[in-house]
Amino acid sequence: VTNWNSYSNSDYGFGFKYPKDWQLVIIPKGKDDKQNQVLKIGLKSPEMAEAMERGVPDAVEDVYLSCNNKESGFDLEKYIKNNELFLVNSFSSEKIADINMYQASFTGLSTSTSYFWQNDQNYFQFSDVYGDYIIPQKILSTFRFTSK
């Protein structure tokens, strides 16, 4: 991780590192994205970037990180457990990068693992789309809140 690229966002007060050979993409908000989503970042491994360039069907970013404005009375645990888009297979909490996070394994179009955490203004979702675990876990372990 010492030779990885760094990403930081001063508007939302966070940063993380990712492998030098991965591509970082800021994804424009789509019509199906949550109303309160303010930022969505995709990270592509070299293999997935090549598959996307070749037009392989269903090829998407390996990892997503989204930042969402918290609404008044927002309850992160309730949001995860009551999400209508996915069936939650397992749910737990753990500390990663000195941040208390929830981990949820979902079944939707495919099975994936997502991590959720929050600060005073926002909640974050980090999704490992393909279940690679090793590199996404390393990326997640570098996440830090920064001052705005």
Side-chain angles (χ1 to χ4, degrees):
V1 259
T2 54
N3 294 328
W4 283 14
N5 290 330
S6 294
Y7 173 84
S8 64
N9 188 301
S10 58
D11 291 337
Y12 301 106
F14 71 91
F16 61 88
K17 292 184 173 188
Y18 61 98
K20 281 195 177 292
D21 59 346
W22 283 43
Q23 295 177 18
L24 183 139
V25 180
I26 304 297
I27 300 170
K29 188 172 182 169
K31 63 179 173 69
D32 295 331
D33 288 331
K34 295 183 278 294
Q35 190 73 15
N36 58 338
Q37 186 174 76
V38 293
L39 178 66
K40 187 173 185 181
I41 297 170
L43 291 166
K44 295 187 258 189
S45 65
E47 298 79 17
M48 196 50 61
E50 182 183 330
M52 291 173 83
E53 286 174 15
R54 287 188 322 217
V56 173
D58 300 326
V60 296
E61 284 77 5
D62 296 79
V63 173
Y64 291 103
L65 173 70
S66 63
C67 175
N68 308 277
N69 282 334
K70 282 171 49 176
E71 300 167 358
S72 177
F74 178 80
D75 181 331
L76 184 58
E77 187 171 334
K78 186 176 179 181
Y79 165 76
I80 298 165
K81 289 183 175 179
N82 294 331
N83 192 322
E84 295 174 5
L85 301 175
F86 304 101
L87 174 62
V88 177
N89 295 332
S90 65
F91 182 76
S92 62
S93 63
E94 60 184 281
K95 196 169 210 156
I96 300 174
D98 288 329
I99 300 169
N100 292 322
M101 298 186 182
Y102 293 105
Q103 176 187 5
S105 175
F106 294 105
T107 301
L109 298 175
S110 64
T111 300
S112 64
T113 300
S114 289
Y115 294 85
F116 300 84
W117 64 98
Q118 59 191 336
N119 62 10
D120 291 338
Q121 299 84 25
N122 302 300
Y123 71 94
F124 298 84
Q125 179 177 350
F126 181 91
S127 299
D128 176 4
V129 178
Y130 296 106
D132 177 348
Y133 300 116
I134 296 169
I135 293 177
Q137 278 285 348
K138 286 183 181 179
I139 294 169
L140 186 59
S141 73
T142 69
F143 185 93
R144 298 290 181 264
F145 286 117
T146 59
S147 47
K148 288 183 168 185

